[in-house]
Structure formats: structure tokens, C-alpha cells
């Protein structure tokens, strides 16, 4: 039985009466320390609270004898305003960490809905702007890490529950609390405000545009039906403070929630994930509310000033209870950012996005007001992609079907673009059937499906398309320019048709406007996206400069000077930070020549932010050793993310400074912010790099045409290396599939640059990759080209493999006659080469076709011939497959005895091979 202490105020005193003991302990209220003193020195002041509760000796003795190890405080309103959770013992230990400590309320908790799955509802809010539309400055809540920690705990709980993170609006919260039983986790800003009727608890939720939407405690109390909420954690400041009206945690308990936790002052956000994870881990392990809260406090043991801030309330009859748990598999996939996003690897938001809260709000507000097409305009490196990606991730929930993004940074290719849209609209399987159709058919399918698709299209780096359109006026074009022109036209027509059809679009572009219906340039009223403010610029410099991170106070003025010199241009700030870390010039002299450099850039015809970026790049580039300058320029031929092997190929014959290895050179360029890391291997080492588009453009200006032409062999060699990798890994590693998708257009182009001895094999491998990705028409084309290369070089081995791949594609599409023709030619070549293994496989494929046609005699004959070859080769796996195929023919004929015998032979071979999956299939047959 828990130890219950009744606490009442009387005549400026506090009376503490321990249940089951005669007499009371009287303490003057004025002698009880306020919260500020307790947080400053709990060891010094916390013992006064323990004495007021009855004294350490008696309390510890009674708690040691209590099987529940629980201290329940039954407080009147005055007593409830005292921070009892900071009560300490003589050794400095907290009483609330020795035993569970809860505060009781006079209310009976209604029973939970019977037989229902437990819901876990999480709402995380951090408004972008205040009620007046002003960007909120200062610390941003680390909501994602808090929810990530909770998700990990729930995943391991072994309890049947449905967890989801809902949009940060009152409408979403109201809807989510209609069914239960439910646990509510609210993480946001909280406060107590003064009103004419007294103090009032307020939680800062968000409106649809990300602005603050104050939710009063009274509003929250009205939302859930009685009995739905079984527990609430208010991970928000000041939610268990003051009188009954302002103390939201207590008010929820009085309203029927069996267990609530709030904060009696400002709670440090970095500790929120520790507290929540420990509390839920204990609760979902079946612990009582009091014990679970004690365990959560232990997670804060290294932070005594915060350990007593959480306050737990329980119904008078419900303190023994725990959550209504049922063993099962937790469903936690929904505990991520609300809304669906398909952004791709090239369109990822920085975390955190610095200094763009106002712009995020403005974008959301414009869409709320009915705007359909927005184009974020700005110079290269100004952060257009970062802003668009952050907007998509934050506000995807506003569209029922989320956000689908596509970047033109790597290539402008209609086939790839239309395929990406088809996959989003129709799904991968249906899209694969259409990718081989003529462009007009794909376009019609996209427009028809898009009319029913309620989502946001994000098209990044649209200036690449606009540049292609501009080439239509030129008569003398290079081959690359002709390709860009030819691809840009159908892409822009399709995007225009989407806009005409009422689709919601968000574009980023240096060329503006795109000329779409209902298009509005963003930010409205400005020429283009402007630089970061001082606070964000200084923080960005610190993120990119190792020296500044090691000594922030000593670099505060300098970082501000860098921000001012760069006019807030994010990429210019990053470049200057990288240069500063490697420069021998002192901090005092670092910007000495800046104004002269700007003036020279303006004389070259540049203006605005183009000047600051160009000068920042020129500084970084000019201070590289000459060998690294050439190395960076050579890398600019890669429009897509690349592995280290790409650098090795195009740097062949180029000495690197100081005996550097390629990995070291890539690291140095990344350290100077001239390259950025795209992805890591599983062990954390760098895997792929990429250019920020504006940086690639500047690096490419330093590579003359003859040098670019000379690097094409290395470019082609990297393509050959990559298709070898992708062929085996594309189905296993999503990251490889993403890289392949981003570079398909270039990989197809590189077929013509391969040396004669490798061209046919390259086309064969690329055809398999295209086929795997659903680009069947392109696969047909590249395989046909490969067959020509093989014929020209007399490479019958590769020609046979290409023909076999073409046969399999025809089988997939039901073109059995064409497939048979390909296979017959394959069989002739394999026989001529005396390649018995491949010949046996070809025979099996031909047998499959005869079997499909119903010609069982021909099918069986070919299977038997294939079986004989596999027996000669000692191919047990192939032999087992042939036996199963033959059994299927006998099964179709109705000869069950022969079929069963062959299945048993196949089973025995699979047992010898340890093939459990094959054994299961044989047993099933």
C-alpha cells in the first residue's frame, strides 16, 4: 500500500498528515523554498521539503516497508504549487528517485474501451512564425530526435499498439483523439499566460501555414470522449505549474485521464528524448505509473536541476493502474513525419534549415490562399533546393497524396522524367508497362492520372529545362546542346499541361519565370530569394568551419563579418569557411582584399549575389594547388553523384599534390566545401560525392573543350565500372538503384564512347539494368545496339547473351514467336562455341515456350536434352530445376506417378545442396 501524505494550507502554514499516523507536521509556507532556489541548489534547499513532508527518517522507513515503493501527495491548491519533486535527503539523493512520487486528484478515471488496440498518438509542433507573422528566433525544438527515440522504444516493446505522428494542428489532434484507448505524447512550446479571468495554460500548435496556433488547456480538455485517453505526456514547458486552471497536467487528470505528466517550469529540450524514452520503456514493460516515472527520473540523474521538473498526476483510485497492454507486434511505421514524400537523393533538406522560417511560412500561406504554381527563383547556391525540400518534408501532410519530387540537376531526359511521374501516379508495375510506349502515349497516361492525383509536384533545377528551350533559337549547336534542346521541349510541354490541368507545382529555377499558367515567382515582391540573416549566417559559418566550432565566442565577430561580406549567400559563406580553415592568412587580414575582388567581378558584368558567390568560389579555387584545380575541373564532367572510382578514372595521369591519394584529394575538396558528400557506406566511410549545381557550373568553366574531350575515355571507363556494379547490386541496394536512376541518360549516351572491345558487353549489362528498372523500350534499343557491336567485333559470346536477354524480354511481353527466334539463334551460337552450360539453359527456355503453347511433347524432349547436359556438367542445381520442369509436364498430362517420382528426385538433390527454399518448393509441389 502506498504512502499517502495529505497536504493542506492553513493560516500561512502547510499541514502535512501521513495517512495512518496521528498528528500533523506544520511548516510555514514562507519557509518552503521556491523552484528557482531548488533548481540552483537542490542539495541545500531540497531537505526543507523533505522535512515538511514528515522528515527523512520516517519517510524512508515507511517507503522501505511499502511493497509499492510509492509516495502519493494529496495536495490542495496552495500545496500543489510547491515543487515537492525536488525534495532531497541528507546525502543529496532525490526522494522522487528513491520512490515513485505522484500527486493525486479527486476524480475517478473511466474504464478504457474494451478489446481495442492501444493507440499511441504523437503531435510535435514548433511554429515557424508567431501570431503576428514574425519569424521565431532562438532555439528550435529537436522534435525528430525525440520521436526517433520513442519509436525505437515502442518497436522493442512487444506490445500490440498502433503508433502514429499526426500533423501539428488542432484539427488533426481532435480527429486523432476520437478513438482509443490512447496514449497522447504532446511535444511543443508551452506557457502560462495572464488573462482577465486568471492564468491560463497554452500550448503552441500550428496552423496549416506553420504559424502559431495557441491551444488552451480548456480546448484540449474538450477534445477526447471520456475514457479514450489513458495517459498523457506533455513534453512542453510550464504544463504543470500554478493553479488548477493553469496546471494543464492536473486539469487533464481531473478530466478523467488516469495518468498525466507535465513540467512545472521550462524543461530543457535536449533532455526530452531521454525522459520520454525511459518513461515509455517502463510503461510498456508493464510497470505502474509511479514506478515508470521514477525510472524516467533516473534517466535525468546527471541533470539535478531538471530531475524534479516532471510532475505526475493520477486519479485517486487509479494510481495502481498501468496501461491496458496486450502482447503483440507494435506498428510504429507511422511514427515519422506526417505526410508522404518521394524526394529522391538529390533533393534533401539540410537539418536544420537555417534562417528560412519566414520563407517556409510564406510558401505554405500562398498555397493556403489558393496559389497553384510557385517558382522559387534565386542565384546558384542561394538555397532554393534546400528551401523547397524542407518545405516538402514539413508540409507534405497538407496534400492527401503527399509530395513527389524530380531534379533536373543531373540530366534533362524526357523518358526518365515521364517514367518517374508514371511510377508515382500508377505504381511501378503499371508504369513499367507504359515506359516502352511512344512518348505521346506516356504523356496522355500521365495527364489522365494526374487529374485524380491530389499532391504537390516539386521540380528542382528547372533552369536546366529553360536553358534547353532557349537553344531552339540557335542554329549552330553541339551534339550535347542538340540533345538538351530535344529533351527540354517535351518536358516543358508536359509540365505546362500539368499546370493547365490544375496541378499544384513548386519549381526552383535560376531562369525565371517558367511561363506556366497561374505561376507566381517566390518570394513575391522580390527579384529573387535573398541571403540569410545574420544569426543564420553566423551559425552556418560555424557548421562549415572547424576552427569556428572549436572557439565560437572568439569567432563571433569574424563570422558576422564573413556573413556581411557574402551578403548572406549560403554557398559563399560555406566556401569562405572552408578557405578560412585552410588559409595561412590571419583572421584580421582574411577579408582585406574583398572589396577589390567584388569590384573586379562587377567589371566582368556580374551583379547582385552572383558577384559574392563568384568571388567566394574564385578565392577557394585560386588557393588550391594547381593539381587540385585541374582535378576539380575534371570532376565537373560528372552531372550525377559519383564513387571514388570516377575520380580515379578522370584523374588518370594527373599527379596529385604532395603524393595525395584520390580519397585524400576528395576529402580535401569536401573540407573546402567545393564538393559535398552524397552518401556513406554502412561503416560510415565516404561512398559517393556530388557537386552543388552552382559549384559544378563554376568548376566546368575552368575546363576547356579540348580537356573535356580528353576526359571522355575516363568518363566512359567509369560508366563501364558502374554498370558492372549496378547489374549485381541494383536489386539489393536501394542506394545503387537511386544512383542508377539519376544517371540513366548519361549511361545510355556512354554506350557510343566505349572502346570497341567492351562496347557490346557494356550494352548487354546496361540492357539488363534498364530492363530491371522497367525501361523496356530503352532496354530493347541498347540491346539492339549491343548486338550490332558484337557482330562488328565478332564477339559471338556476348552476342548470344544479348539475344538471350532479348528473348526473355519478349517472353515477358507475350511475344513468344519473336522470343523463339532469338532463342534458336542463341542455341546455334552456343552450340558453335561448345558452351554446354549456356546451351542447356537456352533449351530450358525454349521448352518453357513449348509448354506455354501446349506442345508438351516438344517441351519434354527439350527438358530431357537439357537434363542430360546438366548431368554431364555435374550441375546439381540445374538438374533439380530440370526435373521439376519435367514433372510439371507430366502433371499437366495427368501422369501423377511420373510427376511425383521426378519431384522426389528434385527434392533429394535440393536436400544434398542444402537448398531450403528449393526443398520447400519441392515439398509443396
Amino acid at each position: 500500500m502506498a504512502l499517502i501524505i495529505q497536504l493542506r494550507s492553513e493560516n500561512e502554514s502547510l499541514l502535512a498528515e501521513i495517512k495512518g499516523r496521528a498528528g500533523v507536521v506544520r511548516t510555514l509556507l514562507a519557509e518552503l523554498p521556491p523552484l528557482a532556489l531548488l533548481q540552483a541548489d537542490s542539495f541545500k534547499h531540497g531537505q526543507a521539503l523533505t522535512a515538511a513532508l514528515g522528515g527523512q527518517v520516517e519517510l524512508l522507513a515507511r517507503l522501505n516497508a511499502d511493497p509499492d515503493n510509492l509516495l502519493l501527495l494529496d495536495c490542495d491548491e496552495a500545496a500543489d504549487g510547491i515543487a515537492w519533486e525536488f525534495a532531497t535527503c541528507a546525502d543529496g539523493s532525490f526522494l522522487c528517485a528513491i520512490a515513485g512520487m505522484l500527486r493525486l486528484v479527486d476524480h475517478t478515471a473511466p474504464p478504457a474501451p474494451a478489446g481495442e488496440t492501444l493507440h499511441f498518438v504523437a503531435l510535435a509542433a514548433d511554429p515557424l512564425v508567431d501570431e503576428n507573422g514574425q519569424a521565431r528566433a532562438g532555439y528550435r525544438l529537436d522534435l525528430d530526435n525525440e520521436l526517433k527515440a520513442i519509436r525505437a522504444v515502442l518497436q522493442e516493446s512487444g506490445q500490440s499498439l498502433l503508433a502514429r505522428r499526426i500533423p501539428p494542428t488542432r484539427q488533426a489532434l481532435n480527429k486523432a483523439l476520437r478513438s482509443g484507448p490512447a496514449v497522447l505524447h504532446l511535444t511543443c512550446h508551452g506557457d502560462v499566460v495572464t488573462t482577465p479571468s486568471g492564468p491560463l495554460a497554452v500550448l503552441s500548435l500550428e496552423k496549416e501555414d506553420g504559424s502559431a496556433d495557441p491551444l488552451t488547456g480548456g480546448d484540449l480538455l474538450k477534445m477526447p470522449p471520456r475514457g479514450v485517453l489513458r495517459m498523457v505526456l506533455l513534453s512542453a514547458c510550464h504544463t504543470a505549474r500554478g493553479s488548477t486552471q493553469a496546471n494543464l497536467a492536473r486539469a487533464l487528470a481531473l478530466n478523467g485521464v488516469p495518468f498525466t505528466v507535465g513540467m512545472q517550469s521550462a524543461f530543457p529540450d535536449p533532455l526530452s528524448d531521454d525522459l520520454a524514452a525511459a518513461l515509455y520503456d517502463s510503461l510498456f514493460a508493464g510497470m505502474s505509473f509511479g514506478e515508470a516515472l521514477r525510472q524516467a527520473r533516473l534517466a535525468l540523474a546527471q541533470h539535478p536541476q531538471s530531475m524534479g521538473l516532471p510532475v505526475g498526476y493520477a486519479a485517486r483510485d487509479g494510481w495502481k493502474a498501468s496501461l491496458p497492454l496486450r502482447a503483440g507486434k507494435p506498428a510504429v511505421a507511422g511514427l515519422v513525419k506526417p505526410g508522404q514524400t518521394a524526394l529522391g537523393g538529390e533533393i534533401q533538406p539540410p537539418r536544420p534549415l537555417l534562417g528560412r522560417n519566414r520563407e517556409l511560412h510564406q510558401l505554405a500561406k500562398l498555397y493556403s490562399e489558393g496559389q497553384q504554381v510557385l517558382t522559387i527563383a534565386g542565384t546558384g547556391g542561394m538555397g532554393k533546393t534546400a528551401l523547397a525540400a524542407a518545405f516538402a518534408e514539413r508540409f507534405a501532410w497538407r496534400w492527401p497524396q503527399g509530395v513527389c519530387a524530380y531534379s533536373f540537376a543531373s540530366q534533362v531526359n524526357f523518358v526518365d522524367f515521364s517514367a518517374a511521374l508514371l511510377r508515382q501516379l500508377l505504381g511501378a508495375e503499371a508504369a513499367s508497362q507504359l515506359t516502352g510506349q511512344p512518348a505521346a502515349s506516356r504523356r496522355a497516361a500521365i495527364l489522365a492520372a494526374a487529374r485524380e492525383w491530389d499532391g504537390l509536384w516539386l521540380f528542382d533545377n528547372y533552369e536546366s529545362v529553360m536553358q534547353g528551350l532557349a537553344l531552339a533559337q540557335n542554329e549552330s549547336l553541339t551534339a550535347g546542346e542538340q540533345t538538351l534542346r530535344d529533351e527540354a521541349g517535351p518536358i516543358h510541354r508536359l509540365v505546362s499541361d500539368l499546370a493547365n490541368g490544375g496541378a499544384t507545382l513548386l519549381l526552383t529555377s535560376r531562369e525565371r519565370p517558367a511561363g506556366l499558367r497561374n505561376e507566381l515567382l517566390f518570394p513575391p515582391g522580390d527579384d529573387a530569394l535573398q541571403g540569410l540573416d545574420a544569426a543564420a549566417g553566423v551559425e552556418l559559418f560555424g557548421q562549415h568551419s572547424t576552427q569556428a566550432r572549436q572557439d565560437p565566442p572568439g569567432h563571433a565577430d569574424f563570422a558576422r563579418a564573413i556573413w556581411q561580406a557574402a551578403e548572406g549567400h549560403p554557398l559563399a559563406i560555406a566556401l569562405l569557411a572552408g578557405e578560412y580553415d585552410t588559409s595561412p592568412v590571419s583572421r584580421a587580414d582574411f577579408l582585406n582584399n574583398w572589396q577589390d575582388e567584388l569590384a573586379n567581378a562587377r567589371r566582368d558584368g556580374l551583379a547582385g549575389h552572383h558577384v559574392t558567390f563568384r568571388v567566394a568560389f574564385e578565392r577557394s579555387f585560386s588557393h588550391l594547388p594547381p593539381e587540385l584545380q585541374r582535378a576539380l575541373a575534371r570532376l565537373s564532367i560528372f552531372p550525377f553523384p559519383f564513387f571514388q572510382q570516377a575520380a580515379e578514372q578522370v584523374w588518370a595521369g594527373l599527379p596529385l599534390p604532395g603524393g595525395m591519394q584520390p580519397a585524400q584529394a576528395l576529402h580535401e575538396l569536401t573540407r573546402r566545401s567545393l564538393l559535398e558528400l552524397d552518401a556513406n557506406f554502412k561503416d560510415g566511410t565516404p561512398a559517393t560525392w556530388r557537386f552543388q549545381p552552382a559549384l559544378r557550373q563554376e568548376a566546368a568553366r575552368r575546363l576547356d573543350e579540348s580537356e573535356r574531350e580528353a576526359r571522355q575515355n575516363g568518363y566512359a571507363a567509369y560508366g563501364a565500372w558502374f554498370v558492372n556494379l549496378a547489374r549485381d547490386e541494383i536489386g539489393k541496394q536501394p542506394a545503387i538503384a537511386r544512383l542508377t536512376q539519376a544517371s540513366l541518360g548519361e549511361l545510355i549516351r556512354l554506350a557510343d564512347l566505349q572502346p570497341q572491345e567492351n562496347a557490346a558487353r557494356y550494352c548487354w549489362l546496361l540492357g539488363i539494368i534498364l530492363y530491371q528498372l522497367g525501361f523496356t523500350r530503352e532496354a530493347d534499343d541498347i540491346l539492339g545496339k549491343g548486338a550490332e557491336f558484337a557482330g562488328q567485333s565478332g564477339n559471338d559470346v556476348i552476342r548470344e547473351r544479348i539475344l538471350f536477354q532479348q528473348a526473355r524480354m519478349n517472353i515477358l511481353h507475350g511475344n513468344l514467336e519473336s522470343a523463339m527466334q532469338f532463342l534458336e539463334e542463341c542455341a546455334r551460337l552456343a552450340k558453335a562455341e561448345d558452351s554446354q552450360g549456356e546451351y542447356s539453359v537456352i533449351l530450358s527456355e525454349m521448352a518453357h515456350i513449348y509448354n506455354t503453347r501446349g506442345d508438351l511433347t516438344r517441351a519434354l524432349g527439350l527438358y530431357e536434352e537439357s537434363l542430360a547436359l546438366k548431368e554431364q556438367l555435374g550441375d546439381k542445381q540445374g538438374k533439380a530445376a530440370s526435373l521439376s520442369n519435367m514433372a510439371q509436364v507430366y502433371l499437366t498430362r495427368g501422369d501423377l506417378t511420373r510427376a511425383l517420382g521426378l519431384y522426389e528426385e528434385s527434392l533429394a538433390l535440393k536436400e544434398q545442396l542444402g537448398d531450403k527454399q528449393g526443398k520447400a518448393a519441392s515439398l509443396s509441389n
Side-chain angles (χ1 to χ4, degrees), residues 65-83:
D66 177 34
D68 293 312
N69 191 34
L70 181 62
L71 177 58
L72 300 176
L73 304 181
D74 181 1
C75 304
D76 68 6
E77 189 168 331
D80 200 50
I82 297 168

Side-chain angles (χ1 to χ4, degrees), residues 101 148 173 218 234 241 291 310 315 327 331 333 342 348 393 405 530 574 651 746 754 787:
M101 181 185 289
K148 184 179 179 181
L173 180 59
L234 298 166
R241 168 186 140 193
E291 178 58 24
Q348 291 296 315
E393 188 177 72
Q530 299 301 301
W651 290 348
E746 284 297 291
Q754 298 300 316

Side-chain angles (χ1 to χ4, degrees), residues 97 142 261 324 418 420 460 511 539 633 646 674 827 885:
D142 191 3
V261 179
S418 60
D460 185 46
E511 309 283 338
E539 187 173 351
L674 291 164
N885 290 329

Side-chain angles (χ1 to χ4, degrees), residues 278-354:
L279 181 63
Y280 293 131
D281 185 49
S282 302
L283 285 170
F284 285 99
M287 295 182 189
S288 67
F289 294 141
E291 178 58 24
L293 186 54
R294 187 184 78 84
Q295 293 291 332
R297 294 189 196 283
L298 293 177
L300 307 178
Q302 301 303 312
H303 307 276
Q305 72 279 8
S306 302
M307 198 169 177
L309 290 178
V311 181
Y313 286 93
R316 186 175 296 279
D317 64 336
W319 56 267
K320 285 187 176 181
S322 56
L323 291 176
L325 301 177
R326 189 172 68 227
K329 185 177 181 180
V332 300
L335 207 60
V336 293
K337 283 186 183 294
Q340 303 175 53
T341 54
L343 298 184
E346 295 179 299
I347 309 175
Q348 291 296 315
R351 296 179 177 85
L353 177 70
L354 299 175

